[in-house]
Amino acid sequence: FNNEVRMDIRLAEGSRMKLGDISKFSESVAENKFFQNNYDKTADISGRVDGTVNKLNGRDLRIRVGQKAFMQGTFDGDNMARGSDEMRLHFKFDRLQSDFQTIKSIIPGFDPPPYFYRLGNIGYRGTYDLQFSTYHILQGEVFTDIGNGDMSMQLDLSEGREKATYGGYLSLRRFDLAAWTGDSNFGKTTFSSQIDESST
C-alpha cells in the first residue's frame, strides 16, 4: 500500500480535517509527538494531495489551524512511511503566519524565552527542508511586528538535543531592539550575523 496505491485527494475551499485522522496513514506519523499532542485539533484545508504514502506531494495548499496559524504553499515528501531515518520533506511556503503563543500550543515541548513573544505576529516566506527528522534547513524572509529580515539556518539534531549544532546567517532590517529587549536605551537597528557552526 505505501508504495503502490496512488492517492489523488482534491480538497475544495471549506474542507476540514481532524489532525488525528492523518496519523492513520502511517505508523511513523502516528508516533510523531505533534500529531499525538494535537490529535483532536481540526484544520481548515484546501488544495491537492497526490501520490503514494512514501512519495506524497501537496500543491496549492491552504491550511489554517485555529485563529493564528496559517500556511499557503506546497510540499514534496519522500520515504514518508519508512521511519525517521529515511523520511525527507521539502516545503515551499508562499505564506506562513502565526505567533509564538500559537506555536507553543501546537509544537510539543516548545517553550521559547519570554522575549520571543514580543515579536508579535510572525510571517515567513521561503523553504523548509526536514531530512531524517533531525536535520532542519530554513531559507527565506521573516516578517514580525517589530522588524523584518532574511535568514538561512541549519539545525542538526542527529546527536540529540544536548549536542545539537546550528549555523547560517540572519540579516534584520529596522529591527526594534527596544521592543525586543524591553530596554529604551536601544532603538531600531539593521544588522547581519553569521554563525559558521555552534552548539546549544
Side-chain angles (χ1 to χ4, degrees):
F1 176 82
N2 289 338
N3 296 306
E4 298 180 7
V5 177
R6 187 177 184 87
M7 297 174 285
D8 189 351
I9 304 168
R10 306 183 188 198
L11 300 162
E13 188 173 346
S15 300
R16 308 189 75 196
M17 179 178 291
K18 186 177 176 182
L19 295 183
D21 292 341
I22 300 174
S23 65
K24 305 299 183 184
F25 287 96
S26 165
E27 183 177 343
S28 61
V29 172
E31 294 173 352
N32 184 279
K33 291 291 186 182
F34 170 80
F35 289 99
Q36 289 179 352
N37 288 15
N38 296 280
Y39 191 89
D40 292 323
K41 287 187 181 292
T42 300
D44 297 307
I45 181 170
S46 63
R48 181 177 180 180
V49 179
D50 74 310
T52 64
V53 172
N54 268 328
K55 193 170 181 64
L56 200 61
N57 306 306
R59 295 292 180 265
D60 300 319
L61 293 173
R62 296 171 64 91
I63 302 171
R64 183 180 298 278
V65 180
Q67 297 297 313
K68 291 284 189 176
F70 176 79
M71 186 278 279
Q72 179 179 350
T74 65
F75 78 85
D76 295 281
D78 287 313
N79 298 329
M80 300 283 287
R82 292 182 178 173
S84 59
D85 291 342
E86 296 187 47
M87 183 180 71
R88 295 186 301 275
L89 278 166
H90 171 76
F91 294 90
K92 180 179 179 295
F93 296 115
D94 298 317
R95 179 184 168 197
L96 183 63
Q97 187 171 324
S98 188
D99 60 18
F100 271 96
Q101 190 63 48
T102 302
I103 294 170
K104 180 181 177 181
S105 71
I106 292 176
I107 300 178
F110 182 67
D111 189 19
Y115 50 84
F116 272 78
Y117 295 95
R118 299 171 188 164
L119 291 170
N121 294 307
I122 306 164
Y124 177 74
R125 181 171 60 225
T127 60
Y128 167 56
D129 288 277
L130 173 60
Q131 299 178 3
F132 321 123
S133 293
T134 57
Y135 193 56
H136 306 258
I137 306 169
L138 277 167
Q139 186 166 0
E141 300 174 86
V142 181
F143 311 93
T144 78
D145 287 348
I146 61 174
N148 305 325
D150 304 296
M151 67 182 299
S152 178
M153 301 293 292
Q154 302 86 40
L155 172 65
D156 186 354
L157 295 168
S158 59
E159 299 296 323
R161 290 182 178 274
E162 297 300 322
K163 297 182 179 180
T165 60
Y166 58 91
Y169 78 86
L170 175 65
S171 177
L172 295 174
R173 300 181 297 274
R174 293 187 57 78
F175 188 76
D176 192 341
L177 279 176
W180 170 253
T181 62
D183 188 338
S184 60
N185 290 314
F186 293 108
K188 293 184 177 180
T189 183
T190 297
F191 67 91
S192 297
S193 60
Q194 177 78 38
I195 303 172
D196 291 331
E197 185 173 310
S198 184
S199 59
T200 56

